[in-house]
Amino acid sequence: MENNFDINNLVRENVKTMKPYSSARDEFKDFDVAQMIFLDANENPYQNGVNRYPDPQQSSVKAVLAKQRNLKVDQVLLGNGSDEVLDLLFRAFCEPKVDNVITLPPTYGMYGVLANINAVENREVLLSQDFQPQIESILEAVDANTKMIFLCSPNNPTGNSFADESVVTLLQNFKGLVVIDEAYIDFSKKPSWLNELDEYPNLIITQTLSKAYGLAGIRLGICYASVAIIAVLNKIKPPYNVNELTQQRALERLADKEKIQLEIDSIVIQRDNLLKVLNEVKFVSKIHPTEANFVLIKVDDANKRYNELIQKGIVIRNRTTQPLCENTLRLTVGTADENKILMEALKAIG
């Protein structure tokens, strides 16, 4: 692929010239830590498991992720949830009040929030009626100051994946960064775009341990990209952005691959069962195809049905205010027992 991509054309000037903060832990990484006495960081010296600052580079977690995904360790960046990873992208590549990004509503709302926080114009190009990127419109919206295009695939809240040919067209024709958010990729039959990182230097992929891995509470987001892009992000990330407890819990969970896969398989089975039963609910007029751990349904009156479910103690997501999502509800796939209760409630209020 040749689109004359050059990462140096995208990095903010102040980021290019800045000297990153050097933590004490960065300065002795080539030594035998077990034999050293730490009197450098003003820590409490009494051991309790978390009295020392965590590894600022999360080396152990990155090593496991890189091995499992067949990547280099320096192609991985970790953050305090995917939101921090996405925020770092804005701060590294987008000049406030100058640059812009493109998002494709309906989609994950934090892209727009982060653009606003960082004083970056968010150019919205709606998805098509079948929730696919409108490539011509996207490329028409691009100008010299467009730094990133955000693709959520499988998409939240619609649940569908984007066509491969659309993604490739953007990667080949856009000289900025194409960010593919794969928070829900583990529930899809489509392969991750991780396999294409070496092919497209402008490709960035974000993932998370919050969904399929069941670790939403520890807040660990992941960015996969070229060595050059990761190096830029490492310059600006906070030194201890991923705490010790998060790193430990992530390592434990990543080691249990069989259990993770069993849970994913179970969620997919429950999702398919839920889709079948939804056809029996009278006020549901459309069930959108999904490759995620949720399903978007169109109903007669989303506000009414949402409130009725709340009264029954069931919390779902009302997406009716989102573009192309009038009178839609997003249902997360629960356990078999939770799904049974949900379906009984839907039938009762119908």
Side-chain angles (χ1 to χ4, degrees):
M1 189 274 297
E2 181 65 42
N3 80 345
N4 299 317
F5 175 80
D6 186 349
I7 188 64
N8 292 315
N9 294 332
L10 300 181
V11 182
R12 291 173 59 185
E13 289 301 320
N14 65 308
V15 174
K16 286 182 184 178
T17 58
M18 71 174 283
K19 182 179 179 180
Y21 176 82
S22 178
S23 71
R25 294 299 181 262
D26 285 321
E27 297 171 5
F28 60 84
K29 55 188 176 182
D30 295 327
F31 293 81
D32 184 359
V33 175
Q35 303 301 318
M36 302 182 75
I37 297 174
F38 295 103
L39 302 176
D40 61 318
N42 306 332
E43 299 155 323
N44 184 322
Y46 296 100
Q47 296 293 334
N48 61 20
V50 289
N51 60 303
R52 301 294 183 184
Y53 285 106
D55 173 6
Q57 289 300 323
Q58 309 95 36
S59 303
S60 297
V61 181
K62 286 182 180 178
V64 173
L65 288 169
K67 183 178 180 180
Q68 291 183 355
R69 277 115 175 112
N70 195 30
L71 297 171
K72 302 173 184 175
V73 170
D74 49 8
Q75 287 183 282
V76 186
L77 177 106
L78 302 182
N80 181 9
S82 294
D83 293 341
E84 183 185 42
V85 169
L86 294 168
D87 186 47
L88 288 173
L89 293 174
F90 277 95
R91 291 162 60 193
F93 299 109
C94 295
E95 192 67 45
K97 298 184 179 181
V98 175
D99 291 331
N100 66 79
V101 300
I102 294 176
T103 63
L104 313 179
T107 192
Y108 181 43
M110 277 303 294
Y111 309 142
V113 170
L114 291 170
N116 195 30
I117 290 173
N118 287 283
V120 173
E121 179 190 358
N122 176 25
R123 297 185 174 181
E124 297 184 337
V125 180
L126 291 184
L127 295 175
S128 65
Q129 290 295 324
D130 58 349
F131 299 140
Q132 289 292 326
Q134 302 195 75
I135 299 303
E136 289 187 10
S137 298
I138 294 170
L139 294 176
E140 287 175 1
V142 170
D143 65 16
N145 294 322
T146 305
K147 291 297 187 67
M148 295 186 286
I149 298 174
F150 288 91
L151 309 176
C152 187
S153 183
N155 188 40
N156 177 15
T158 62
N160 65 299
S161 294
F162 295 153
D164 291 351
E165 54 269 26
S166 295
V167 178
V168 169
T169 299
L170 292 176
L171 287 166
Q172 292 179 339
N173 291 278
F174 177 53
K175 292 181 174 58
L177 299 168
V178 177
V179 183
I180 304 181
D181 185 342
E182 291 190 338
Y184 301 96
I185 191 64
D186 299 283
F187 305 106
S188 173
K189 293 181 180 179
K190 292 176 70 70
S192 168
W193 282 90
L194 287 174
N195 301 325
E196 306 299 325
L197 275 178
D198 291 339
E199 179 73 17
Y200 301 105
N202 58 335
L203 172 60
I204 294 176
I205 296 163
T206 63
Q207 294 184 357
T208 179
L209 297 192
S210 294
K211 310 300 181 183
Y213 287 79
L215 295 179
I218 73 168
R219 308 303 301 129
L220 188 67
I222 313 162
C223 178
Y224 300 104
S226 69
V227 173
I229 290 174
I230 296 299
V232 173
L233 298 176
N234 272 322
K235 285 185 71 174
I236 68 168
K237 84 168 186 65
Y240 302 115
N241 61 325
V242 179
N243 69 71
E244 180 64 24
L245 296 177
T246 289
Q247 293 185 46
Q248 291 177 8
R249 190 60 183 274
L251 286 170
E252 293 171 6
R253 182 64 162 162
L254 287 168
D256 202 353
K257 294 176 67 175
E258 289 187 7
K259 185 177 181 181
I260 294 168
Q261 191 57 55
L262 285 173
E263 291 180 7
I264 293 172
D265 293 343
S266 176
I267 290 171
V268 171
I269 290 172
Q270 292 305 318
R271 179 188 71 191
D272 294 342
N273 291 339
L274 179 61
L275 291 171
K276 292 176 184 176
V277 182
L278 279 171
N279 285 304
E280 303 173 15
V281 180
K282 295 179 180 178
F283 60 80
V284 175
S285 59
K286 185 170 184 178
I287 304 168
H288 290 282
T290 179
E291 296 179 61
N293 66 331
F294 59 84
V295 56
L296 187 72
I297 60 174
K298 186 175 180 62
V299 299
D300 55 351
D301 187 331
N303 294 330
K304 175 184 177 182
R305 303 307 181 184
Y306 173 83
N307 289 325
E308 289 174 334
L309 287 172
I310 287 290
Q311 293 301 315
K312 291 182 175 293
I314 299 174
V315 183
I316 59 170
R317 199 80 154 112
N318 186 353
R319 299 284 75 190
T320 193
T321 60
Q322 302 302 302
L324 307 176
C325 292
E326 182 180 2
N327 281 323
T328 60
L329 302 173
R330 192 190 69 194
L331 316 176
T332 302
V333 178
T335 64
D337 289 341
E338 289 172 334
N339 289 341
K340 182 179 179 182
I341 293 171
L342 169 64
M343 297 315 304
E344 289 175 349
L346 288 171
K347 291 178 180 178
I349 64 179

